[in-house]
């Protein structure tokens, strides 16, 4: 029902996002011995309560009203002291985590030192909406449940008196995530069993720590009926909601619930919530739209007075990958427009702030629908800086829709000073995301991106290999998108491929039907490419002569003029570029 978020893109994310990927604290699955090594905090913890009655609730800390103005936590736990002063300056009073273990202590210590509290999470499989972390049978897997039942209360006991603790949050989006493991009646049974287990955990946590509330996060309000039915011990509900943050109030009212809630992730629309663009991939919103998304989400949450007790918006993260550029407030430790939107919403002092450049429009490729691989690519950015600071530009490329990598890589760009940038297009065909990064020298950054479809460069002449019989030394019969036999490399379709065994050497050859001359060869490699290979010809299929040799291949498109003749033309790989096999989308031979 939803795409993986950028932050959790290996569903495993996301990751749209998703998404990003979120790194859980190390060791969450084996905690008993480690917990004994962490001393309990010396300072007295707070007494946190949900008080009031139907429709008129509030959260109190040591008897004083407390509205959660929070962000989800992204940096390493060990770096907490570095970032806590910044969070405090934003008006943030709470951060949320997804896992709690021995690595959590520096975060709790730094938070408490700066007047900030922590919603301490516990991860249950299959969390993360898309089902990351693997499937669990909550009806029969007593070993897993026993392990979590021992682990979670153990860490609660370790940190229950720490002044940094606000509440405990058990699980993340697993009611939704179970749909990736089960279906039909079995899915319903698993959801009931999961939420009943959450209740068992909640009861045990309360017995260890009666002074902090317990909640459980899921991805949509449609999970709340399961919690209402099976989890009476929860003190409040929790939900992650992005584009639909303003619909949570009506969902709560229409559901007739008798507990308050918090929103544990929110902000702009996720990659799974926006319309696809002309290239069939999620259309990225501008920084202005993203910033407004945080403002609107907070206004709607804060506007549900007496029921919504606050939010931890997503995401105080520093990664500058696909999910980071989609959601993070400070990718690469540079502040975005959304950072200042959250700061304003939470009442931080913005009077002296220098704010980021804004890219109001972006055109990639001069409006062309397709760009030849490795060809010249024009990127035009219209940008301005509200403080009049000079703007420096960078161009990056993202191959998420080509090979599922969330990494962004810089492209060498020439800048004429007007925001018109000349770059070389990526060398691999597919839909790429092209990003323009604008910085002001004041620690601020603006981003805007657009997808572009990279295609093999056109070749003069006729592809005399297309549609001809092809054979290979081996092929992958049943992995991933396979079977991937030899003829897939000469079918004229750049979406199908030949894939070999994972060994050297390997070869693919095409029978032209008669001895023919050719002048050009084009290879369109999949991710698994040939680093060293030869192009060979033969008149009889037995005696071969080499007409071209490559020793430093790097994948993508290999495009070269070569004079040769023969009935058979072969590409023979002698050194793979990856640990996998050889894989060709197309093997073109042109006369």
């Amino acid at each position: 029902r939803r795409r993986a978020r950028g932050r959790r893109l290996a569903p495993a994310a996301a990751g749209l996002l998703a998404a990003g990927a979120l790194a859980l604290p190390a060791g969450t699955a084996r905690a008993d011995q480690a917990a004994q090594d962490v001393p309990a905090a010396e300072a007295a913890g707070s007494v946190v309560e949900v008080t009031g009655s139907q429709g008129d609730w509030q959260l109190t800390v040591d008897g004083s009203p407390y509205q959660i103005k929070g962000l989800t936590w992204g940096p390493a736990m060990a770096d907490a002291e570095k970032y806590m002063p910044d969070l405090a300056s934003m008006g943030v009073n709470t951060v949320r985590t997804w896992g709690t273990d021995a690595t959590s202590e520096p975060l709790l210590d730094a938070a408490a030192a700066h007047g900030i509290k922590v919603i301490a999470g516990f991860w249950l499989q299959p969390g993360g909406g898309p089902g990351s972390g693997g499937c669990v049978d909550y009806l029969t897997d007593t070993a897993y449940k026993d392990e979590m039942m021992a682990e979670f209360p153990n860490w609660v006991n370790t940190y229950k008196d720490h002044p940094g603790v606000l509440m405990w949050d058990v699980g993340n989006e697993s009611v939704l995530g179970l749909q990736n493991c089960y279906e039909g009646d079995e899915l319903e049974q698993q959801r009931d069993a999961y939420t009943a287990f959450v209740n068992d955990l909640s009861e045990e946590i309360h017995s260890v720590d009666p002074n902090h509330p317990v909640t459980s996060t899921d991805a949509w309000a449609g999970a709340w009926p399961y919690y209402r039915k099976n989890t009476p011990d929860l003190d409040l509900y929790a939900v992650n909601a992005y584009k639909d943050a303003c619909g949570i109030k009506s969902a709560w009212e229409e559901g007739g619930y008798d507990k308050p809630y918090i929103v544990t992730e929110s902000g702009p629309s996720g990659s799974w919530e926006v319309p696809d663009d002309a290239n069939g991939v999620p259309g990225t919103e501008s920084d202005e739209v993203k910033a407004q998304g945080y403002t609107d989400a907070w206004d709607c949450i804060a506007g549900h007075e007496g029921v919504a007790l606050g939010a931890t918006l997503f995401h105080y993260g520093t990664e500058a990958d696909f999910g980071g550029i989609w959601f993070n407030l400070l990718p690469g430790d540079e502040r975005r427009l959304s950072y200042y939107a959250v700061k304003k919403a939470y009442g931080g002092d913005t009077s002296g702030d220098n704010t980021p450049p804004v890219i109001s429009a972006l055109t990639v490729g001069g409006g062309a629908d397709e760009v030849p691989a490795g060809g010249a690519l024009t990127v035009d950015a219209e940008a301005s800086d509200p403080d009049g600071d000079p703007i420096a530009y960078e161009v990056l490329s993202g191959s998420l829709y080509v090979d599922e990598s969330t990494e962004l890589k810089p492209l060498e760009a020439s800048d004429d000073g007007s925001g018109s940038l000349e770059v070389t297009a990526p060398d691999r065909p597919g839909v790429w995301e092209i990003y323009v990064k604008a910085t002001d020298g004041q620690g601020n950054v603006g981003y805007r991106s657009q997808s572009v479809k990279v295609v093999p460069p056109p070749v003069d002449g006729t592809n005399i290999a297309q549609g001809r019989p092809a054979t290979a030394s081996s092929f992958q019969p049943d992995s991933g998108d396979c079977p991937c036999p030899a003829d897939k490399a000469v079918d004229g379709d750049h979406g199908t491929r030949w894939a070999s065994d994972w060994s050297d050497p390997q070869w693919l050859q095409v029978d032209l039907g008669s001895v023919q001359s050719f002048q050009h060869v084009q290879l369109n490699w999949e991710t698994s490419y040939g680093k060293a290979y030869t192009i060979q010809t033969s008149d009889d299929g037995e005696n071969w002569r080499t007409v071209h040799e490559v020793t430093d291949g790097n994948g993508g498109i290999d495009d070269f003029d070569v004079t040769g003749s023969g009935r058979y033309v072969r590409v023979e790989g002698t050194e793979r570029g990856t640990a996998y096999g050889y894989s060709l989308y197309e093997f073109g031979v042109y006369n």
Side-chain angles (χ1 to χ4, degrees):
R1 293 201 303 213
R2 58 193 287 194
R3 286 192 184 90
R5 298 179 184 166
R7 58 185 165 82
R8 290 187 285 255
L9 280 164
L16 198 204
L17 58 359
L22 295 174
L24 297 180
T28 52
R30 295 289 185 273
D32 292 353
Q33 182 60 46
Q36 298 172 13
D37 299 331
V38 179
E42 296 180 1
S46 301
V47 175
V48 183
E49 298 178 289
V50 176
T51 64
S53 57
Q54 181 71 21
D56 189 27
W57 291 286
Q58 67 177 5
L59 194 66
T60 64
V61 175
D62 295 329
S64 299
Y66 188 97
Q67 182 186 37
I68 297 173
K69 296 181 178 181
L71 285 167
T72 53
W73 176 256
M77 300 288 185
D79 291 335
E81 181 55 41
K82 172 183 175 182
Y83 292 102
M84 283 300 164
D86 181 54
L87 284 160
S89 75
M90 294 177 69
V92 170
N93 63 10
T94 308
V95 295
R96 179 210 172 194
T97 70
W98 291 264
T100 302
D101 64 8
T103 68
S104 304
E105 190 174 24
L107 176 68
L108 290 164
D109 289 347
H114 293 276
I116 293 173
K117 292 191 176 295
V118 178
I119 298 175
F122 292 107
W123 191 264
L124 286 171
Q125 297 174 350
S132 56
C135 296
V136 171
D137 188 329
Y138 283 96
L139 292 168
T140 64
D141 195 341
T142 56
Y144 177 78
K145 292 192 289 184
D146 287 347
E147 183 180 12
M148 298 302 102
M149 185 63 76
E151 178 181 334
F152 295 176
N154 200 8
W155 289 116
V156 170
N157 187 56
T158 300
Y159 295 121
K160 65 180 181 179
D161 295 321
H162 198 293
V165 174
L166 181 69
M167 69 177 68
W168 310 104
D169 187 5
V170 179
N172 181 73
E173 300 190 351
S174 291
V175 174
L176 179 67
L178 283 164
Q179 72 180 4
N180 296 278
C181 306
Y182 305 98
E183 59 185 15
D185 291 342
E186 188 176 12
L187 173 61
E188 293 302 301
Q189 294 171 9
Q190 290 291 337
R191 286 173 164 171
D192 282 336
Y194 168 80
T195 47
F197 178 57
V198 169
N199 197 68
D200 293 340
L201 287 165
S202 178
E203 289 180 331
E204 186 63 24
I205 290 171
H206 276 132
S207 71
V208 174
D209 177 16
N211 292 328
H212 296 95
V214 181
T215 189
S216 181
T217 288
D218 223 278
W220 90 127
W224 286 352
Y226 299 94
Y227 286 102
R228 176 171 55 188
K229 175 183 176 183
N230 303 307
T231 321
D233 201 62
L234 289 182
D235 298 285
L236 68 165
Y237 297 136
V239 66
N240 297 338
Y242 290 82
K243 185 177 182 179
D244 194 40
C246 290
I248 297 300
K249 178 180 179 180
S250 61
W252 186 89
E253 292 173 342
E254 292 168 6
Y257 299 108
D258 59 0
K259 291 182 181 179
Y261 66 88
I262 57 175
V263 178
T264 39
E265 293 178 25
S266 194
S269 299
S271 58
W272 62 95
E273 295 178 305
V274 297
D276 285 347
D277 65 14
N279 289 316
V281 300
T284 307
E285 296 176 330
S286 68
D287 279 359
E288 301 101 307
V289 173
K290 290 178 184 292
Q292 190 62 45
Y294 286 100
T295 301
D296 292 345
W298 176 250
D299 286 347
C300 289
I301 294 162
H304 198 184
E305 296 182 6
V307 180
L309 306 183
T312 52
L313 303 178
F314 190 90
H315 179 51
Y316 192 82
T318 60
E319 299 88 352
D321 57 5
F322 175 88
I325 300 307
W326 198 288
F327 283 113
N328 285 351
L329 299 187
L330 57 164
D333 281 325
E334 295 174 308
R335 296 176 295 276
R336 301 180 72 180
L337 202 62
S338 294
Y339 171 99
Y340 294 98
V342 173
K343 185 177 183 181
K344 182 177 180 180
Y346 285 168
D349 182 6
T350 61
S351 60
D353 286 342
N354 180 295
T355 54
V358 175
I359 304 174
S360 55
L362 179 65
T363 302
V364 177
D369 293 331
E370 297 180 343
V371 176
L377 180 63
T378 301
V379 179
D380 291 306
E382 296 180 16
S384 61
D385 188 272
D387 305 291
D389 296 318
I391 302 173
Y393 296 95
E394 296 178 56
V395 182
L396 306 102
S397 64
S399 60
L400 176 68
Y401 308 117
V402 177
D403 58 12
E404 298 185 348
S405 171
T406 61
E407 181 183 2
L408 306 186
K409 297 181 179 180
L411 296 175
E412 187 174 344
S414 60
D415 181 2
D416 66 3
S418 68
S420 183
L421 308 160
E422 296 291 334
V423 302
T424 299
D427 189 38
R428 293 175 57 194
V431 177
W432 290 75
E433 195 78 12
I434 303 297
Y435 297 78
V436 172
K437 174 184 177 183
T439 54
D440 63 359
Q442 305 295 324
N444 298 308
V445 64
Y447 282 96
R448 189 135 184 182
S449 71
Q450 179 183 314
S451 74
V452 62
K453 186 175 184 180
V454 176
V455 298
V459 179
D460 292 334
T462 301
N463 183 1
I464 56 178
Q466 185 172 323
R468 300 300 306 171
T471 54
S473 53
S474 64
F475 76 95
Q476 290 289 325
D478 56 8
S479 61
D481 59 342
C482 291
C484 299
D487 61 357
K488 297 297 184 182
V490 292
D491 63 359
D493 184 349
H494 289 272
T496 62
R497 63 190 179 101
W498 162 67
S500 78
D501 286 345
W502 298 3
S503 62
D504 289 312
Q506 298 288 336
W507 53 264
L508 169 80
Q509 68 185 47
V510 58
D511 180 357
L512 303 180
S514 62
V515 174
Q516 299 189 48
S517 298
F518 58 91
Q519 298 178 348
H520 193 91
V521 168
Q522 185 180 87
L523 303 176
N524 180 4
W525 294 102
E526 193 250 359
T527 305
S528 303
Y529 63 93
K531 181 178 180 181
Y533 62 90
T534 57
I535 303 297
Q536 303 173 339
T537 64
S538 173
D539 296 335
D540 57 11
E542 295 182 3
N543 299 291
W544 296 91
R545 52 191 176 270
T546 297
V547 296
H548 189 80
E549 183 175 6
V550 173
T551 59
D552 58 353
N554 60 1
I557 294 288
D558 283 346
D559 212 32
F560 43 82
D561 292 328
V562 55
T563 300
S565 67
R567 174 175 174 174
Y568 301 91
V569 184
R570 169 187 287 191
V571 53
E572 182 171 39
T574 55
E575 183 180 355
R576 290 164 291 148
T578 71
Y580 304 103
Y582 296 87
S583 183
L584 275 170
Y585 285 119
E586 282 296 304
F587 176 29
V589 180
Y590 294 84
N591 64 14

